């Protein structure tokens, strides 16, 4: 039984019923509908903290999903799991995959910046100031890209860019 059918939460059950209705009337092929079911089950497993099950569902969804926009969100969610598990290199790879299919996915741009900033802080702690600066520059690049798409978002990142002299005049 799919995870979304096991939920005891009223809101989750309501969402599942609505999603099932939409799936029935949605003008999509069987493969796309099946991909959505795996994606939805992946999100439910991820929300419950069952990352192994979520990854299994997302990988099944990737096998079936052909739409680049939808694939970008599957890659993004896989990256979230790897980032939360501390697997930053894997997370970066999946965030980059999501951006290849959806270059305006500002959440991925932000999360890449956060990882580079974190790695920069770790490098600084061990005395690798040159490495830290290079990582901070990478973080700045991704935050500037995100802010150029959504200028009212990421105010904390904007402040960091300004205070570190990494904010360019065109923002």
């Amino acid at each position: 039984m799919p995870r979304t059918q096991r939920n005891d939460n009223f809101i989750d059950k309501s969402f599942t019923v609505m999603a099932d209705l939409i799936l029935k009337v949605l003008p999509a092929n069987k493969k796309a509908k099946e991909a959505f079911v795996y994606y939805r089950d992946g999100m439910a497993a991820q929300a419950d903290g069952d990352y192994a099950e979520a990854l299994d569902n997302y990988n099944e969804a990737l096998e079936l999903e052909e739409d680049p926009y939808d694939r970008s969100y599957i890659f993004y969610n896989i990256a979230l799991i790897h980032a939360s598990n501390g697997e930053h290199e894997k997370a970066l790879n999946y965030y980059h995959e999501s951006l290849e299919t959806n270059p305006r996915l500002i959440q991925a741009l932000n999360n890449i910046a956060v990882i580079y900033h974190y790695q920069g802080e770790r490098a600084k702690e061990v005395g690798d100031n040159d490495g830290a600066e290079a990582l901070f520059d990478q973080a700045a690049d991704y935050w500037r890209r995100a802010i150029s798409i959504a200028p009212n978002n990421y105010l904390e990142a904007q402040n960091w860019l300004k205070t570190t002299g990494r904010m360019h005049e065109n923002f």
Side-chain angles (χ1 to χ4, degrees):
M1 172 186 303
R3 173 178 286 275
T4 51
Q5 292 178 0
R6 295 187 304 226
N7 283 329
D8 293 327
N9 180 315
F10 173 75
I11 294 171
D12 288 341
K13 282 184 179 180
S14 300
F15 172 77
T16 300
V17 169
M18 291 300 294
D20 287 341
L21 287 171
I22 291 169
L23 275 176
K24 287 179 183 168
V25 298
L26 192 67
N29 65 36
K30 184 179 187 238
K31 198 172 172 183
K33 289 179 181 183
E34 211 175 317
F36 177 75
V37 169
Y38 280 113
Y39 179 71
R40 184 183 65 197
D41 287 348
M43 288 191 315
Q46 186 174 357
D48 289 345
D50 190 345
Y51 295 150
E53 183 180 337
L55 287 173
D56 287 343
N57 280 299
Y58 289 145
N59 285 321
E60 289 291 335
L62 278 176
E63 291 291 320
L64 297 166
E65 186 57 65
E66 296 172 352
D67 181 79
Y69 185 80
D70 291 342
R71 288 177 64 81
S72 73
Y73 282 94
I74 298 169
F75 287 130
Y76 174 79
N77 282 327
I78 292 172
L80 285 175
I81 291 171
H82 288 299
S84 68
N85 286 336
E87 299 169 314
H88 295 133
E89 293 308 313
K90 278 186 181 179
L92 286 170
N93 289 335
Y94 281 104
Y95 285 132
H96 287 293
E97 287 273 348
S98 71
L99 290 172
E100 283 179 27
T101 55
N102 184 358
R104 297 184 59 82
L105 187 57
I106 60 171
Q107 304 95 310
L109 292 167
N110 177 64
N111 291 359
I112 290 170
V114 167
I115 290 172
Y116 284 140
H117 186 270
Y118 172 81
Q119 290 175 333
E121 290 292 336
R122 299 295 75 77
K124 191 174 173 181
E125 286 175 6
V126 298
D128 181 7
N129 291 332
D130 291 340
E133 285 303 310
L135 289 161
F136 290 147
D137 287 344
Q138 285 183 288
D141 178 53
Y142 282 93
W143 269 323
R144 285 191 303 267
R145 288 173 57 189
I147 293 164
S148 72
I149 296 169
N152 296 324
N153 291 7
Y154 310 115
L155 298 178
E156 196 172 317
Q158 290 184 46
N159 288 334
W160 178 82
L161 289 167
K162 289 174 187 171
T163 60
T164 61
R166 288 179 169 89
M167 179 69 90
H168 294 264
E169 291 301 316
N170 58 347
F171 289 101

